[in-house]
Amino acid sequence: TAGIVNSLILVIGALGATLGFSLVFGFFAVIPLRVSRFVTWGIVTTIQSSPVILTLVVAGTVATTIFPYSPAVALGSAIVALGLMNGANAGQAIGEAAESLQRDGQYGSGLNGALYGAAVRRSLTQILSFLTNAAKGTPIASFTGAPELLSALTDITSFSAGRGTMYTMVLIFYIAVVFLVVWACERVRTRLNKREEA
């Protein structure tokens, strides 16, 4: 039960962190200052080039250096790592959408709220895809000791013979969670499209 609760916290946290980081990276990628864009693309490229496991380990190490280790710290560092990895990609999509809008001549070269909003809307499909990826990637947090469902059931199966049943439960749980996230993202996309048409 605790593993399920922690997994849901991890999924919701990863979705929020992914959305937050994507908007932040996208904002700095849209700023017309070359320094801002250069630093943003440098950070995004570094995160994209880093293996997922290594990013989780580094985030966990930094978190336990600052705070004493606890299940909450492990979950928090996993949320930040998953948000960074997926948010960097979504932020890049926002930046590229802004560049394409400016090339089309729809907006000037300076930063304005209309350009940023239009770039977010144009890259909505990519943002929703990376939100789904964040939800699908949460079981990997068990590698760093985050006390979520996969980690909990791995501990249980080490003392029992019912591995097939246990891991089937994990599979069903994560399929249901990802299905719910995909459904919610589709609802958001449909609602925003209807608003755009109106």
Side-chain angles (χ1 to χ4, degrees):
T1 302
I4 289 172
V5 171
N6 288 336
S7 289
L8 293 174
I9 292 169
L10 184 58
V11 169
I12 293 167
L15 292 175
T18 297
L19 184 59
F21 280 121
S22 68
L23 294 175
V24 169
F25 281 124
F27 176 78
F28 284 104
V30 172
I31 290 177
L33 297 173
R34 286 191 176 185
V35 174
S36 172
R37 289 184 175 185
F38 180 77
V39 171
T40 302
W41 293 130
I43 294 171
V44 167
T45 303
T46 301
I47 293 170
Q48 289 174 339
S49 303
S50 176
V52 177
I53 298 291
L54 183 59
T55 304
L56 283 164
V57 169
V58 168
T61 303
V62 170
T64 53
T65 301
I66 299 171
F67 307 102
Y69 178 81
S70 70
V73 170
L75 279 174
S77 65
I79 287 170
V80 170
L82 290 167
L84 271 173
M85 288 182 292
N86 292 289
N89 291 315
Q92 180 182 10
I94 294 171
E96 290 172 351
E99 289 178 3
S100 70
L101 286 167
Q102 289 176 324
R103 278 196 307 270
D104 294 344
Q106 298 181 37
Y107 296 89
S109 59
L111 173 67
N112 57 62
L115 170 62
Y116 180 66
V120 170
R121 285 191 298 276
R122 178 171 278 195
S123 58
L124 186 61
T125 300
Q126 291 94 328
I127 293 171
L128 296 178
S129 295
F130 286 114
L131 286 171
T132 303
N133 282 347
K136 288 195 294 189
T138 52
I140 202 168
S142 64
F143 181 83
T144 59
E148 46 80 64
L149 183 61
L150 180 59
S151 178
L153 290 186
T154 300
D155 292 341
I156 291 170
T157 55
S158 64
F159 297 102
S160 68
R163 293 183 182 205
T165 303
M166 293 293 183
Y167 287 118
T168 300
M169 288 171 51
V170 174
L171 181 63
I172 292 170
F173 173 79
Y174 278 110
I175 286 174
V177 167
V178 172
F179 178 82
L180 184 62
V181 170
V182 170
W183 175 81
C185 287
E186 286 301 322
R187 289 293 300 270
V188 168
R189 189 200 324 261
T190 303
R191 184 169 294 181
L192 290 174
N193 286 340
K194 286 181 180 177
R195 187 178 296 174
E196 283 287 314
E197 290 172 2

